[in-house]
Every structure is written in C-alpha cells, then in structure tokens.
Amino acid sequence: MTELAKYRNIGIFAHVDAGKTTTTERILKLTGKIHKLGEVHDGESTMDFMDQEAERGITIQSAATTCFWKDHRFNIIDTPGHVDFTVEVYRSLKVLDGGVGVFCGSGGVEPQSETNWRYANDSEVARIIFVNKLDRMGADFYRVVKQVKEVLGATPLVMTLPIGIEDDFVGVVDVLTKKAHIWDDSGQPENFEIQDVPADMVDKVDEYYEQLIETAVEQDDDLMMAYMDGEEISMDDIKRCIRKGTRDLAFFPTYCGSAFKNKGMQLILDAVVDYLPSPVEVEPQDLTDPETGEPTGEKAIVTVDEPFRALAFKIMDDRFGALTFVRIYSGKIAKGDTILNSATGKTERVGRMVEMHADDRNELDKAQAGDILAIVGMKNVQTGHTLCDPKHECTLEPMIFPDPVISIAVAPKDKGGSEKMGNALGKMVAEDPSFQVETDEDSGETILKGMGELHLDIKVDILMRTFGVELEVGAPQVAYRESITTKIEDSYTHKKQSGGSGQFGKIDYTIEPGEVGSGYVFESTVTGGNVPKEYWSAIEKGFHSLMVEGPLAGYPLQDLKFTLQDGAYHAVDSSTMAFEAAAKGAYRQSVKKCSPQIMEPIMKVDVFTPDDHVGDVIGDLNRRRGMIKSQDPTATAVRIKADVPLSEMFGYIGSLRTMTSGRGQFSMEFSHYNPCPNNISEQVIADAKARAEAKKA
C-alpha cells in the first residue's frame, strides 16, 4: 500500500473544449498507464468512453483512473466542462484534495471556468493552473494570466514561461531553476532537452523569478526577513513555501504548454507531487448530525487508524452492475466486510471492490484511507450517503444539489416500453442527482426535469440507445414559480360536527413575502395557551403541504413567511388533524389575497461571437428580453454576458449559428427567479388553465 503522504487525489476541470480530457490522456501516457494515445477529436479518448461523449467530443460524466509518478499515487478524476453537467464537477471536487484547472491559451477564462473555480473555492480545493493550447492561433499566455487575476480574483504564481507562441511554440522556461525545456518535432513527450534560457528571454525570466520568490516567502516570516536582508533562499525552502501557499489557497502555481503536442506536461506532474496536498494535509471534513445536518464539532481525520468512514459520491450503472464510487476518509475496508449506510440505517456486505480506469477495472481485496474506488452491487446507496463502521455510526457533510429549471414530458411508444423505461429511469436518477423524474397524476405523463436542454437531450438519448426505449418526447417546459407581494392578517376557523366528538381549530395569522431564497418560514408568536404548542407543527405542516401548488397557475409557491399570532382550541374537539385542516383552509382563503405573481427562471448567458456580428447578437438578446451585463473583446471574439429568461432561450444555438455563420458559441446556467411581465404571466396562467381543462376532458 502507498503511504498516505504520497497520495494525490486530484481532479482535472475546465471550460468545455479547453483540453481537460487530452491533458488527462497525456498524464496517463507519461505515467505508463496507457501506451497508445486516443484523441478526443477522433472519438477515441480513454476517459470519454460513453457513445454520447465520443460523438459530441465532450465529457458528460466524470471518469476516474489511478496512475503513479515518482513513487506517488495519483487518483485522477476527469470532469465534464459543459455547464449542464456541473453537478459532476461539484461532487468530484467534494471528494478531491487538489485540482488542475485547465485554461485554453486562446479562449482564456471562459464561463464554465468561472463556475468550476467558484465550486473549487467553495470546496476549498488547492489548485494548480495549466494554460493549455499555446500552439493555437490567438494563444496568449500573459493575457490568460491577467484574466485569472481580473476575472477569477485569484493570484497566479507563474512557474513556467512559454518559448515562442502559436506555430513557433517549442517549449517552456522553468522560472524556478531558470532552465529552458525544449521539445523536438517528434510529438513524443520524452524528447526534450534542457538548455539555457534563450537570450531574448533572460530579463523576463529574472523579473518573474523575483515575483515568484517574493510571493512565496510571504508564507514564512523568518524567510521573508532573511530575503529582505539579501540572503539567498534555498530551493527546499522556496518549494516548502509554495506548497504551503498552494494548500492555503493564497496563490495558484501556473504552468503553460500544449497537451496535444506533448509539451510541458512533465512539469505539471512534478507540480502535483511538489505542491498539491496529500489527503493528510487537507482540512478534515466535518461530521454532521444526521437529524439537523449541523456540524457536531468532530472531524473525519484522514488516517488508517480511525474507524472506517467513506462518502459515496457517484453511482454508475454499467454492464457489470451498479457501481458505487466512494472516497475513503479513514480506516480500512476489505472484501467481505459489513458496513453501515448511516443515511438508511441499513448494513451491507462488501462483495467486490474495483479500482477504476475509465470503464476498465482491477479487482481489489482491500482499500484504505485516501483511496477512491468503486464497490459493486450495493443496494439503496445514493450520492452523498455516508458509509461507515457499524460500531461507529457517523455522517459526513452531505452534498447539496441545485433544483432543475427545465422539464419535458416523455411517453413510451408501446406498452412494453413502460416497465423498461421505469427501470432505466430509476438507474439514471440514482446516477445523477440533478436529474429528476415525476409522474403527472392527472395525465399519467412521465416528466423529466434537468439543468438545461443539452442535459435532457443526453438523458433522452441514453434512454433510447443505451436502454432501448422508444420514446415520444414533448416540448420543453419552463419551471415557473409563484410568489406573493403583499402582507395580510387573517383568521380561519375549522369546525366540523358529525355526531360524537367534532373537529375544532381556530388560527389568527399573518402571511407576508419572505426574503429571496428563504423558501418557507414558519413562526409562532402565540403567548398563553390559546393554541397549545403541540399543535404548532401540524399548522406549519398543513400550510406548507399546499405550497406545491400556487393560486395562479399551480406552480410551486416560494419565499413566504407564515406567522401564527393567536387562535383558539377546544379541550375535546381540537386535535392535530383539526389544526392541520385549519392551516390548509387558511392557505386557500388567504394566499390569493396576497397579490400573487408568476416568477420565471433567469439564466446567466455567456455568448462568444466574432467582432462583425456583435450588433446582431445583442439585438437578438434584447428581443429575447435579455439584459446585457457586459461585452469584452477577447483575442479571437467578443464575449457578451447577459441575463435572459429561460423561456426565450429554447433553440438559441440554431439562431446563434445562423447569425454568426456557425462561429458563435454560448453557454448558460441558472441565475435566479424574477417576476414575469404581465403579458407573459397572463399567457402562463392561460396555458396552465388549458392544460388543466385538457386533463379533465
């Protein structure tokens, strides 16, 4: 077993098309894990093994692999770049100790890079930066470094500088050793020579060396004083400072190269070993109370000597059965052990364990703290569940997933397809927590909900091709919400007499708009015993249970505060049931008096367009009720940021391609909910009524 200090659990993440998967392929080749390189553009990369990935040339689900470099064990996860699959990035970052953020040398800091960077900041994951594709037209390393500072608000610590650019890119200068690494034209990563710095770069290298040392020694007061006094700082001390600053997120060591041309990759592997933390150096995860979700004050210390604790961070179904990917935080696990799922309270026996290499696997007999592996055939385990030693029950910090913003209705074309579809959807929901399935009880339709058009496209494709279900697919629907705008005070009495004991409950209350994002807040200011405390939770539950259907068009009601002020009860006729019914009556009576309104999801849209089409693109976004936030020229295009209602963005990629002769690109992610304009609200309400009447008929 590798000792824990020599483990590196890392993720490779970036914007779509920045070269993450190619970077991972090169790492696998250099570490001897694979012998033939597969290219993404040929649909043959090792890590993109789904048909849907090979065809589209994008990564959809994160893939895991393990390799070794300089006696260190790398567990690598290659994550998707497309915004509809960010849940994969989020859950991977949750279990990783470090990451490599890949940026395109010409595209720079793109929209998805920002989202991933934000997730990595939230998860406090140490990162190194790799500016890739410096052999491409329009590549500019220094511009990307500037963008990292300005757009991401991060401090890049420049470790290598490019020698030449675009077609003339031949190698990199290692700023720390002041040596040039020059590759020949064979395309083999091993074929490079170490030379002196080219004469025309000496001043630039000296300047970056000074910056590097000054930034690094800020991590150690004694070294900083020595440096200010003109003393020479040893290489070991500098590296120790860089390691500390990287771990504390003070700065991010920044490298450059071309993964496709195999230039600069060894320095990145060395940086993972030298500067990214091992599992024992990372702030340990909190243990939480399973009831409240609040931290208990205890930590999941990463060590082999503590009881077994692991987090299930991904479920995947393949031809060998259900795979549960787990990251072990402490203790050991062996084949045949019994472990407890603290979320369900059930124990399971560990049958087969495998170490993954994309979709290949090596059987394992045992594993330990720091490992990322897959357990085959576990029942009832979902993403975010904690697996632990049955004698030491615990819950690791859970994962929180965003709500879907778009839905489509699907129906199997024949009766036989129903059961097939049900089984397939069960597996797909377990794999992807941002994908939800509901059955419309009135119409019997199956509703798929997801994060965007591409997300649902891929799901339908998987249903049809992987599971062989013939489907009829409806038009996409927007997940509208409803909210209230005015406060009212009201009273409601529930009274029912039907021989014997009756039902009685009276409540006086206020209903008012809540803070944005607050959901449902219940408060009681009742003093004295007019409404006994044991009935409060029934009132809270009764009101909340009806909020799934708003008064205008039946969309869920959000951001509302209900305050119970007073009421009355009857010693014989009052019960929790009577007060729950009173709260439901109060909802029906009062919410419609609070000036309800329809809310629509607003998307954060990022469009890249050539210079000569900017006017057309902005005009089109304005027509779609978009609010332009900014436009910034980049090396190859203009980047336009806007907030646009989701309902106006269906099929946008077709319009954008037409306007820009196929050269425009865009990405979007959910931002917030906004009130709908009157004309749109009226249409939404009319459509909801028409649907309701059609169901009755």
Side-chain angles (χ1 to χ4, degrees), residues 468-482:
V469 183
E470 284 294 305
L471 287 178
E472 284 172 1
V473 183
Q477 299 290 325
V478 177
Y480 290 103
R481 295 277 185 271
E482 298 185 23

Side-chain angles (χ1 to χ4, degrees), residues 51 171 223 449 460 513 580 632 664 689:
D51 292 343
L223 281 182
K449 298 181 166 187
V460 167
E580 193 174 322
D632 305 300
K689 277 191 180 145

Side-chain angles (χ1 to χ4, degrees), residues 221-375:
D221 291 345
D222 293 343
L223 281 182
M224 193 165 158
M225 296 308 292
Y227 176 71
M228 309 257 292
D229 292 340
E231 285 181 37
E232 192 69 32
I233 310 293
S234 75
M235 185 64 83
D236 284 348
D237 279 338
I238 294 168
K239 284 191 166 181
R240 181 173 53 78
C241 287
I242 296 173
R243 188 176 180 79
K244 180 180 181 297
T246 306
R247 193 189 65 207
D248 297 345
L249 310 187
F251 47 71
F252 303 91
T254 300
Y255 293 79
C256 61
S258 163
F260 183 55
K261 296 280 175 68
N262 278 311
K263 291 172 182 170
M265 300 306 296
Q266 286 92 335
L267 292 148
I268 292 161
L269 292 176
D270 290 344
V272 170
V273 167
D274 290 342
Y275 306 128
L276 287 181
S278 73
V280 290
E281 293 171 294
V282 174
E283 182 70 25
Q285 282 246 2
D286 286 317
L287 294 178
T288 57
D289 183 310
E291 298 295 316
T292 63
E294 295 298 312
T296 59
E298 282 186 87
K299 301 273 186 188
I301 309 286
V302 178
T303 166
V304 181
D305 306 323
E306 289 260 323
F308 173 73
R309 298 185 187 105
L311 186 72
F313 69 95
K314 178 176 166 66
I315 313 291
M316 192 171 108
D317 204 77
D318 74 356
R319 59 189 190 278
F320 299 102
L323 291 172
T324 303
F325 282 77
V326 298
R327 156 76 198 263
I328 304 177
Y329 283 93
S330 60
K332 296 177 183 170
I333 184 176
K335 219 162 140 173
D337 283 358
T338 297
I339 56 176
L340 171 72
N341 177 346
S342 67
T344 61
K346 295 198 167 100
T347 55
E348 298 209 31
R349 193 171 165 281
V350 177
R352 288 170 57 213
M353 298 190 299
V354 292
E355 178 185 282
M356 298 299 292
H357 173 48
D359 63 342
D360 289 340
R361 64 214 57 225
N362 303 323
E363 295 278 339
L364 296 173
D365 292 325
K366 57 186 180 192
Q368 64 172 29
D371 281 337
I372 291 177
L373 68 147
I375 302 175

Side-chain angles (χ1 to χ4, degrees), residues 423-612:
N423 292 338
L425 286 172
K427 290 174 179 175
M428 288 163 71
V429 169
E431 287 181 16
D432 181 354
S434 65
F435 174 59
Q436 295 176 9
V437 177
E438 283 178 11
T439 304
D440 186 313
E441 285 172 15
D442 299 326
S443 67
E445 286 179 324
T446 300
I447 311 290
L448 310 186
K449 298 181 166 187
M451 302 310 296
E453 271 186 290
L454 179 67
H455 192 201
L456 292 181
D457 269 357
I458 302 273
K459 297 299 179 196
V460 167
D461 198 33
I462 291 171
L463 271 173
M464 290 168 90
R465 281 205 296 183
T466 310
F467 293 104
V469 183
E470 284 294 305
L471 287 178
E472 284 172 1
V473 183
Q477 299 290 325
V478 177
Y480 290 103
R481 295 277 185 271
E482 298 185 23
S483 71
I484 58 169
T485 57
T486 55
K487 173 179 177 176
I488 68 156
E489 287 195 26
D490 214 340
S491 175
Y492 187 87
T493 305
H494 173 72
K495 208 173 184 178
K496 210 170 181 188
Q497 202 66 43
S498 54
S501 66
Q503 289 183 22
F504 178 81
K506 175 178 186 287
I507 52 175
D508 300 335
Y509 52 88
T510 60
I511 298 173
E512 60 192 300
E515 295 284 317
V516 173
S518 62
Y520 170 56
V521 178
F522 175 86
E523 217 173 73
S524 173
T525 57
V526 176
T527 49
N530 289 353
V531 181
K533 215 167 187 169
E534 66 260 31
Y535 299 138
W536 292 2
S537 62
I539 296 166
E540 178 178 5
K541 181 180 155 206
F543 194 88
H544 193 214
S545 68
L546 293 190
M547 281 179 62
V548 290
E549 279 198 26
L552 294 174
Y555 288 106
L557 192 62
Q558 62 178 24
D559 302 339
L560 173 148
K561 184 177 178 188
F562 179 98
T563 308
L564 177 64
Q565 292 174 315
D566 205 353
Y569 83 108
H570 188 281
V572 177
D573 291 351
S574 287
S575 63
T576 50
M577 210 165 79
F579 273 103
E580 193 174 322
K584 287 179 176 174
Y587 179 91
R588 294 188 188 101
Q589 169 183 292
S590 304
V591 167
K592 54 180 183 271
K593 301 178 192 171
C594 297
S595 311
Q597 63 181 0
I598 302 280
M599 307 287 283
E600 62 181 348
I602 304 294
M603 308 303 279
K604 198 160 81 182
V605 178
D606 257 290
V607 186
F608 284 83
T609 170
D611 252 351
D612 40 353

Side-chain angles (χ1 to χ4, degrees), residues 194-207:
I194 295 183
Q195 303 175 3
D196 289 333
V197 174
D200 60 344
M201 287 185 71
V202 170
D203 291 348
K204 185 164 253 184
V205 171
D206 286 345
E207 177 195 331

